[in-house]
């Protein structure tokens, strides 16, 4: 069993920044591929960024150059630093990993005003 708990969402103005955090339970975190997804109303959930156990990262084209995913294995935490925010970044952001099955956090709302 893996529990994922996100935090750090909120309201930001366009051009601003927010940092999301996701804390994972258990001792196997350092082996996990960790991902951030987001879902806006009426739009399918989309992969935003991922980071492997070795630290390799991948980003959706829509956030490249603006978002940075990172991890701190000592804290069982993955981060999503979001800069140059746009109103279209407004969504619920979810932390995700897979260990025999999918695990999702509860989500954290990010709202970007024009």
């Amino acid at each position: 069993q893996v529990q994922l708990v996100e935090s750090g969402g909120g309201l930001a103005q366009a051009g601003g920044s927010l940092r999301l955090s996701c804390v994972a339970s258990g001792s196997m975190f350092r082996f996990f591929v960790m991902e951030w997804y987001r879902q806006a109303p009426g739009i399918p959930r989309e992969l935003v960024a991922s980071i492997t156990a070795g630290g390799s990262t991948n980003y959706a084209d829509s956030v490249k150059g603006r978002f940075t995913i990172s991890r701190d294995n000592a804290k069982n935490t993955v981060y999503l630093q979001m800069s140059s925010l746009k109103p279209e970044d407004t969504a619920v952001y979810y932390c995700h990993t897979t260990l025999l099955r999918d695990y999702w956090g509860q989500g954290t709302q990010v709202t970007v005003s024009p």
Side-chain angles (χ1 to χ4, degrees), residues 34-56:
M34 298 299 300
E35 297 168 326
W36 285 99
Y37 282 76
R38 68 185 180 187
Q39 187 165 25
I43 298 175
R45 193 171 293 190
E46 63 171 344
L47 178 62
V48 175
S50 64
I51 186 166
T52 68
S56 296

Side-chain angles (χ1 to χ4, degrees), residues 18-102:
L18 286 172
R19 189 177 80 156
L20 307 183
S21 300
C22 171
V23 180
S25 64
S27 59
M28 303 293 288
F29 174 80
R30 65 189 182 277
F31 299 115
F32 295 166
V33 174
M34 298 299 300
E35 297 168 326
W36 285 99
Y37 282 76
R38 68 185 180 187
Q39 187 165 25
I43 298 175
R45 193 171 293 190
E46 63 171 344
L47 178 62
V48 175
S50 64
I51 186 166
T52 68
S56 296
T57 58
N58 201 15
Y59 298 92
D61 288 343
S62 58
V63 306
K64 278 181 182 176
R66 301 188 299 119
F67 290 11
T68 302
I69 188 171
S70 62
R71 66 192 300 158
D72 185 338
N73 290 336
K75 296 182 179 180
N76 274 23
T77 302
V78 61
Y79 303 98
L80 186 68
Q81 177 67 47
M82 305 185 295
S83 302
S84 301
L85 283 163
K86 304 176 181 179
E88 50 264 44
D89 295 320
T90 296
V92 178
Y93 284 71
Y94 296 92
C95 185
H96 172 264
T97 193
T98 300
L99 180 64
L100 300 181
R101 71 168 182 90
D102 288 329

